[in-house]
Amino acid sequence: MILVIGGAFQGKLEYVRKTFKGGTGPVAEGESCTPEEVRQASVVNHFHLLVKRLVEQGEDPHEAARKMLEINPDLIIISNELGCGVVPVTPFDRAYREAAGRVCCELAARAAEVHRVVCGLGQVIKAGGNS
Amino acid sequence: MIALITGGSGSGKSAYAEELCVSWHKSSRPMIYIATMYPFDEESYRRIARHRKMRKNKNFDTVECFTGLKNAELPEKTTVLLECMSNLVTNEMFQEGGAGERTVEAIMEGIDRLAKQAENLVVVTNELFSDGIEYSPETTCYLEYLGEINRRLGRAADVVCEVVYGIPVFHKK
């Protein structure tokens, strides 16, 4: 699995398409994707929105992420990097932001590579992981 | 040695800062954890409990300090972890008896004293500056104070590290 993170509108998907062999394959959108779409995808885009949906539904995003990788261990996962802002006003936003952070920590620990995209440019911040 | 550890919320910066302390600390005497989060609701108690669990068995003694860092009574010559600067600034600015407009100076006086008496000092701060939202003058002032403190700490520190989902990205080393 490869994790690609960065702020909003930094060109993460485009970077993935240019950089990785699997990057041109089918994309599952975090906002709306079904488990079947994730199974067939090579890229999950806007992963943070999937986390948001799961938190809204009261499900454990860690469990869901693990399941996703069991089924599809070579995924490229793209997520907005959240958390670099003032503490949100609503409890839900705080819980969502926290959950997205923790899940991405777990994904980063498991990832073979982690790339961070700023202004369209990718920086490899982790390479040579096991999976 | 002085380290400044920054990162967003949920980035894994606390765990990284604790590990750094453990790796720097050469003696068997306890390290000091300066806790700055003032517990005011259930959510903050949960956060504090989570942090306590994380650093259990890592040989930290906890000292609470909500304001007046320079008056904190601490043993000398040990490794000190201060977590976190964003809460300390909130307390100094908004708590009764806090430093108010003198927040930056008051905190830096405390930091200078800590830096002199500690063997190692690790300060955890927070990246709050990139959400692109315009806040009230009060919150903007808070960001300005925290940014000023971060910059001063960045100059004083031997190591400045941003933790990105558990991965250390060094800005100064």
Side-chain angles (χ1 to χ4, degrees), chain A residues 37-106:
Chain A
E37 282 170 343
V38 173
R39 185 193 298 273
Q40 290 173 14
S42 58
V43 179
V44 174
N45 195 25
H46 298 120
F47 173 73
H48 59 288
L49 295 179
L50 176 57
V51 174
K52 190 173 189 180
R53 271 203 286 158
L54 293 164
V55 175
E56 274 165 354
Q57 292 159 14
E59 285 178 49
D60 180 1
H62 291 266
E63 270 308 305
R66 279 168 214 153
K67 227 178 265 172
M68 201 167 86
L69 290 175
E70 253 168 51
I71 295 167
N72 200 342
D74 296 322
L75 272 177
I76 300 166
I77 299 175
I78 305 174
S79 181
N80 278 17
E81 196 182 337
L82 308 177
C84 292
V86 172
V87 178
V89 175
T90 69
F92 174 80
D93 283 343
R94 291 197 292 274
Y96 155 51
R97 188 173 81 141
E98 176 88 17
R102 301 293 167 209
V103 176
C104 283
C105 283
E106 184 177 332

Side-chain angles (χ1 to χ4, degrees), chain A residues 83-85 94 98 116, chain B residues 9 43 47 50 127-128 162:
Chain A
C84 292
R94 291 197 292 274
E98 176 88 17
R116 191 187 204 194
Chain B
S9 160
E43 199 174 315
R47 278 183 169 271
R50 183 180 160 274
E127 281 308 301
L128 301 181
E162 179 185 11

Side-chain angles (χ1 to χ4, degrees), chain B residues 62-123:
Chain B
T62 299
V63 175
E64 288 185 335
C65 177
F66 304 133
T67 57
L69 180 63
K70 73 170 177 181
N71 304 318
E73 300 250 356
L74 300 170
E76 303 206 344
K77 298 280 166 218
T78 185
T79 299
V80 176
L81 172 55
L82 186 151
E83 180 157 24
C84 69
M85 191 48 79
S86 51
N87 283 320
L88 191 58
V89 171
T90 303
N91 299 342
E92 290 289 10
M93 279 185 75
F94 302 117
Q95 267 190 30
E96 217 171 296
E101 288 177 6
R102 279 200 71 252
T103 291
V104 173
E105 293 316 315
I107 288 177
M108 289 314 296
E109 284 164 20
I111 291 289
D112 288 344
R113 178 166 165 260
L114 272 182
K116 281 195 191 95
Q117 71 167 41
E119 189 77 37
N120 301 298
L121 173 62
V122 176
V123 178

Side-chain angles (χ1 to χ4, degrees), chain B residues 52-66:
Chain B
R52 279 188 183 274
K53 198 172 149 197
M54 247 168 63
R55 66 177 186 271
K56 206 177 150 192
N57 305 326
K58 285 182 181 156
N59 198 21
F60 280 106
D61 281 349
T62 299
V63 175
E64 288 185 335
C65 177
F66 304 133

